[in-house]
Amino acid sequence: MITVTHTSGRTRPDTEPPSGPPAGRRAKGAGNGLGGRFFNGFSHLFLAVWAIMVVYPLLWVVMSALKTDSEVIREPLSLIPDALQWDNFVRAWTAGIDSFFLNTLLVLVFSVSLTMLLGSMAAYALARYEFRGNRLIYWMFLSGLTLPIYLAAVPLFKGVYNTGVSLPLLGPNKHLMLILVYVAWSLSFTIFFMHSFFRTLPDSIAEAAQVDGASHTRTFFSVMLPMAKPGLISIGIFNVLGQWNQWYLPTLLMQSVAGEPKHQVIAQGLIELSVNQGYKSDWSGLFAGVTMAMLPVLIVYIVFQRQVQSGLTAGVGK
């Protein structure tokens, strides 16, 4: 409703203020909406291109494992073979992949278990207890993340060789030594990850357990460690992936020796198969071996992907 009042001979409309934002603000908001839609479209396009770049090589490897050698050479980028050659997997398995698989599983079962146990215990002590030298020990562990493994190759090999002179079970070409080296190599990141996770857990639960008479060890294994399950699963997957795909350390410490049984792991064994073929290239068999080597880690990640995501975001959510 509009009313007219007379003040000093002038008329002034008395109107109700508009309910919407000013025109300039509406225009600015419309511009932001257009920019937001453009950014969303660009991000979706980028993610689609990234997904293709990741999925296509994996699919190419799997489909190449089902081709013949002539098809691999004649049409290397084709994803559709003329006929599925399942015997490629049998040939790759009998060529030595079976022993490489068993060696890798043997090493990973013990190395990942020891890494998770020692890493979580050290991270818990550094995160929950204050003592002299706490930060110094923590930063000493983190310094391992800054040292490339290639710089430690010569002293590491010499140390393993000298240890093997007095302790044959810990010498070169021994799975036990490779397990210990894997544990030492993975402890830095494990402690770094679990240290941040343990700091997010509430102190009241640990204090309540100790009031009830639980020791520090009982509190850790029965109370705090189960609460850290998402973090344990996440760092466990990372350790499995890193140690499964490790090639340099096995090549350095597990060298093949004439007259001795082969102890190579899967990544090292695939390289050796390709080298030993010489001029007789079995490309389809190699692709089959690579497919069998990558399928276990893909299955592990797909099965535990929700736990990995929850473990990575647990510290932020808390």
Side-chain angles (χ1 to χ4, degrees), residues 61-276:
V61 171
V62 174
M63 299 310 296
S64 297
L66 298 173
K67 297 179 180 179
T68 61
D69 289 339
S70 60
E71 289 178 318
V72 172
I73 297 174
R74 186 177 66 252
E75 299 177 352
L77 299 181
S78 175
L79 296 180
I80 303 177
D82 296 337
L84 300 181
Q85 306 293 329
W86 297 104
D87 59 320
N88 294 336
F89 292 91
V90 178
R91 189 170 66 256
W93 183 262
T94 56
I97 299 296
D98 53 347
S99 61
F100 299 149
F101 255 98
L102 293 177
N103 293 334
T104 306
L105 290 177
L106 175 65
V107 171
L108 256 65
V109 166
F110 291 99
S111 62
V112 173
S113 300
L114 281 176
T115 301
M116 300 303 300
L117 176 63
L118 299 178
S120 59
M121 293 173 65
Y124 177 78
L126 294 173
R128 311 294 294 190
Y129 298 99
E130 294 295 336
F131 54 89
R132 183 175 304 218
N134 181 301
R135 302 305 297 174
L136 177 62
I137 296 174
Y138 176 69
W139 287 110
M140 287 180 63
F141 276 116
L142 289 193
S143 64
L145 295 174
T146 65
L147 178 67
I149 192 62
Y150 306 100
L151 295 181
V154 175
L156 179 61
F157 180 80
K158 292 293 292 183
V160 171
Y161 179 81
N162 293 334
T163 304
V165 174
S166 56
L167 299 175
L169 290 178
L170 296 179
N173 301 315
K174 298 298 187 294
H175 289 147
L176 181 57
M177 176 54 74
L178 186 62
I179 290 171
L180 296 179
V181 172
Y182 273 0
V183 172
W185 174 67
S186 305
L187 269 181
S188 296
F189 184 71
T190 302
I191 292 175
F192 169 73
F193 186 93
M194 294 305 299
H195 180 273
S196 302
F197 197 90
F198 278 124
R199 291 181 68 89
T200 64
L201 300 181
D203 296 330
S204 58
I205 298 179
E207 294 173 356
Q210 293 178 1
V211 169
D212 290 340
S215 62
H216 293 288
T217 304
R218 180 69 180 273
T219 301
F220 171 71
F221 284 104
S222 300
V223 179
M224 306 304 289
L225 199 61
M227 293 177 60
K229 182 180 177 181
L232 290 173
I233 293 177
S234 299
I235 193 62
I237 296 299
F238 289 142
N239 284 326
V240 169
L241 295 179
Q243 296 180 17
W244 181 276
N245 296 323
Q246 180 60 233
W247 171 80
Y248 185 76
L249 288 176
T251 302
L252 181 67
L253 303 177
M254 306 291 291
Q255 301 177 6
S256 60
V257 180
E260 292 187 3
K262 294 183 178 180
H263 302 286
Q264 286 84 356
V265 295
I266 188 68
Q268 182 186 10
L270 289 174
I271 298 296
E272 183 172 338
L273 284 179
S274 63
V275 172
N276 291 340

Side-chain angles (χ1 to χ4, degrees), residues 258-303:
E260 292 187 3
K262 294 183 178 180
H263 302 286
Q264 286 84 356
V265 295
I266 188 68
Q268 182 186 10
L270 289 174
I271 298 296
E272 183 172 338
L273 284 179
S274 63
V275 172
N276 291 340
Q277 286 179 358
Y279 293 102
K280 183 181 178 182
S281 298
D282 185 8
W283 296 109
S284 57
L286 286 177
F287 278 118
V290 173
T291 301
M292 290 188 290
M294 73 179 184
L295 279 181
V297 292
L298 287 177
I299 294 173
V300 168
Y301 181 79
I302 291 174
V303 172

